[in-house]
Amino acid sequence: MLRYAVAVLAVAGAAQLVAEEKSECLAVGSKVAAFYVTDVTGPAAGEKLCYRCRFGGKPVVSMFVREVTPEVAKLVKEVDNQVAAHQDAGMRAFVVLLTENPEADAAKLKQLAADQGITHTPLTTFDGAAGPAEYKVGQESAVTVMMWTNHTLKVNDTFKAGELAQEKIPAVVGKTSSILN
């Protein structure tokens, strides 16, 4: 009987850990909060602003990244292409580089925009590697892609370092259809 009780407690503890891990990220269906970034390459370059506020209820893709990798560059370019293709639907996007040194790392974003020809997606920095608290970007997440419309989260995909492979990018970008009305 004692062994059975220990086994039940172990399973319950493991279930609690899984539930806690899942609760760490912003749940689909949640309202997205306002937060401020510094625009590096967008129309308000050099200014601190809230793109969630500026874009209003439009369909938005927000990408939180910890470093600029070839996979991140491809993802940003593909999302930028989607924004260009769906301007009539009001689609918008922005990238947030999460870093402890935003001023120094802004050069990486300028280079990304130049190399990839990013013209419809502002590249921004956030003060602090944790990101905006309300968004619950996991510390283990190298890339988090959130998509919303009317300030309601529809997609929240997270990738640990090395998980965002080139072949996964079309599936992520394909989810933009879920925010287009």
Side-chain angles (χ1 to χ4, degrees):
M1 187 68 168
L2 180 61
R3 286 185 188 157
Y4 175 76
V6 169
V8 167
L9 287 174
V11 169
Q16 177 66 28
L17 284 175
V18 168
E20 285 175 9
E21 281 180 23
K22 290 206 179 278
S23 69
E24 285 181 15
C25 61
L26 190 61
V28 169
S30 298
K31 290 293 184 185
V32 292
F35 68 99
Y36 286 83
V37 294
T38 300
D39 191 341
V40 175
T41 67
E47 294 179 33
K48 200 166 200 126
L49 72 152
C50 173
Y51 271 117
R52 198 285 277 152
C53 304
R54 185 172 279 198
F55 294 156
K58 293 179 172 133
V60 175
V61 178
S62 179
M63 296 164 275
F64 295 91
V65 303
R66 298 200 186 277
E67 68 177 290
V68 178
T69 64
E71 294 79 16
V72 166
K74 180 174 179 158
L75 175 64
V76 173
K77 179 60 179 171
E78 294 299 320
V79 168
D80 193 59
N81 291 340
Q82 287 295 306
V83 172
H86 297 289
Q87 289 203 347
D88 58 328
M91 186 176 183
R92 301 288 189 264
F94 65 107
V95 175
V96 181
L97 180 61
L98 301 175
T99 177
E100 292 298 339
N101 197 354
E103 294 82 20
D105 290 337
K108 295 174 186 176
L109 296 177
K110 289 177 183 175
Q111 190 66 50
L112 171 63
D115 290 349
Q116 297 295 319
I118 307 299
T119 58
H120 297 93
T121 304
L123 308 180
T124 71
T125 59
F126 183 81
D127 291 332
E134 298 85 357
Y135 282 69
K136 302 178 182 179
V137 177
Q139 291 298 323
E140 303 260 330
S141 175
V143 178
T144 300
V145 180
M146 295 185 185
M147 300 181 199
W148 63 77
T149 187
N150 296 320
H151 304 283
T152 301
L153 189 64
K154 305 289 185 185
V155 173
N156 187 352
D157 285 344
T158 61
F159 301 91
K160 292 180 180 177
E163 286 184 346
L164 181 64
Q166 296 280 345
E167 58 273 5
K168 290 183 180 181
I169 293 170
V172 174
V173 174
K175 293 180 183 182
T176 58
S177 65
S178 70
I179 60 171
L180 295 171
N181 298 338

